[in-house]
Amino acid sequence: MKISAICTDIDGTLLDKTRQLSTRTLKAFAALPSDFPIILASSRMPGAMAHLLEEFGRVANPLICYNGGFVIRSKNEDYQQVSSTYIDANTCREIFAFASETSVHISLYSGDSWFAPSKDKWTVKEEMVTKVKATIDNHHSVLGNWEENSRGAHKVMCMGTAEEIQWLYDQLIENFSSSLHLYRSKDTYIEIAPKSISKASGLRQILAEAAIPMAEVLAFGDNFNDISLIEEVGYGVAVANARDEVKKVAKEITESNTADGVAITIEKLLL
């Protein structure tokens, strides 16, 4: 098949066990033509993804952030919005109301801003992983500002003990399953996004501007939020550590993220 672009998830797929780009991965991407589209798709915010494009030497490439909730293109290193889909402030307040019965940490994300309630262990952990610093602010202030400016959250992140996260997840599924994606990326995490978006929908928007069909895309993923992406592209690949549900829809299963699975497939198919 003809491959005209690559779209890849980041955590658990592209990055190694130290959450870095391995030497082999960097070499494989560097061997591709400089104008070959490399599109990163993640639940991360822009600032937690852009440094990877810098390492690839491809700062002009677009990004699919927040699982497709915020899609941006780059022009002269100045990111411009392709699309933006929010969780409205009132819905965010309802999520907080359910979580108030727990000690769960809730972070709010909008554009390239991350608002955390305090500098607790969850904030520190996410700062280390994403290389982004949180803005410490209470949710009443943040949501009030959004209401005044007709804005909302591209992502709501809930972090806590497995037991409390399970309880909260059950409550949110019961009340919001028709309007929100509720994604358990770990036993201790719930990532929340609008139901109408996905990595696949974000990719379609980017490809439309580049006049590249989905059938000519090589994509990589490992988790539930990668399923539609893997299903809809021409050649979807699951890493060996992927969930079984992802492997079932993939055309190929490569090595794990810790064994350079993405690089191995690129070498085989494109180099």
Side-chain angles (χ1 to χ4, degrees), residues 105 114 116 118-134 136 159 189:
H105 166 119
W114 165 25
S118 64
K119 192 83 166 181
D120 60 13
K121 68 175 184 178
W122 301 106
T123 303
V124 172
K125 180 179 179 181
E126 281 299 297
E127 286 182 338
M128 290 178 61
V129 168
T130 63
K131 297 180 172 63
V132 175
K133 293 294 183 182
I136 307 302
M159 296 176 277
Y189 282 53

Side-chain angles (χ1 to χ4, degrees), residues 1-7 28-33 36-38 58 216-220 235 252 262-271:
M1 64 167 285
K2 181 181 179 181
I3 298 175
S4 302
I6 291 173
C7 182
F29 280 95
L32 297 171
F36 189 93
I38 305 297
R58 296 172 183 269
E216 294 181 9
V217 176
L218 168 64
F220 300 89
Y235 202 84
E252 177 183 325
V262 171
I264 289 169
T265 299
I266 291 173
E267 291 165 359
K268 180 178 69 174
L269 296 180
L270 294 171
L271 305 180

Side-chain angles (χ1 to χ4, degrees), residues 93-140:
R93 289 193 187 279
E94 294 178 16
I95 293 169
F96 274 102
F98 282 107
S100 67
E101 300 185 37
T102 72
S103 60
V104 168
H105 166 119
I106 297 184
S107 278
L108 298 168
Y109 296 81
S110 185
D112 208 18
S113 297
W114 165 25
F115 301 98
S118 64
K119 192 83 166 181
D120 60 13
K121 68 175 184 178
W122 301 106
T123 303
V124 172
K125 180 179 179 181
E126 281 299 297
E127 286 182 338
M128 290 178 61
V129 168
T130 63
K131 297 180 172 63
V132 175
K133 293 294 183 182
T135 298
I136 307 302
D137 202 348
N138 70 79
H139 73 270
H140 295 293

Side-chain angles (χ1 to χ4, degrees), residues 48-230:
M49 302 170 69
H51 70 278
L52 298 173
L53 290 181
E54 292 175 4
E55 290 186 59
F56 282 138
R58 296 172 183 269
V59 294
N61 285 26
L63 293 171
I64 301 170
C65 313
Y66 304 121
N67 289 327
F70 190 49
V71 181
I72 51 181
R73 72 176 72 85
S74 179
K75 184 178 181 181
N76 298 325
E77 301 185 36
D78 180 21
Y79 287 108
Q80 301 173 334
Q81 177 180 304
V82 175
S83 67
S84 175
T85 307
Y86 291 119
I87 303 169
D88 64 81
N90 185 61
T91 300
C92 292
R93 289 193 187 279
E94 294 178 16
I95 293 169
F96 274 102
F98 282 107
S100 67
E101 300 185 37
T102 72
S103 60
V104 168
H105 166 119
I106 297 184
S107 278
L108 298 168
Y109 296 81
S110 185
D112 208 18
S113 297
W114 165 25
F115 301 98
S118 64
K119 192 83 166 181
D120 60 13
K121 68 175 184 178
W122 301 106
T123 303
V124 172
K125 180 179 179 181
E126 281 299 297
E127 286 182 338
M128 290 178 61
V129 168
T130 63
K131 297 180 172 63
V132 175
K133 293 294 183 182
T135 298
I136 307 302
D137 202 348
N138 70 79
H139 73 270
H140 295 293
S141 172
V142 175
L143 295 178
N145 178 268
W146 288 351
E147 286 167 338
E148 291 177 7
N149 294 280
S150 300
R151 294 175 63 86
H154 284 117
K155 182 176 77 170
V156 178
M157 175 86 92
C158 306
M159 296 176 277
T161 66
E163 294 75 19
E164 286 197 316
I165 287 293
Q166 182 62 58
W167 180 88
L168 180 58
Y169 179 78
D170 291 341
Q171 308 310 306
L172 298 179
I173 282 288
E174 183 176 346
N175 289 274
F176 300 105
S177 60
S178 63
S179 60
L180 298 176
H181 280 300
L182 297 157
Y183 164 57
R184 296 284 300 277
S185 52
K186 300 178 183 178
D187 288 345
T188 53
Y189 282 53
I190 307 171
E191 297 186 37
I192 307 173
K195 191 82 168 186
S196 60
I197 58 89
S198 68
K199 291 182 180 181
S201 69
L203 178 60
R204 283 194 297 271
Q205 292 173 318
I206 290 172
L207 295 181
E209 294 190 345
I212 297 174
M214 289 282 278
E216 294 181 9
V217 176
L218 168 64
F220 300 89
D222 76 307
N223 222 324
F224 292 122
N225 58 341
D226 298 311
I227 290 176
S228 63
L229 176 65
I230 299 300

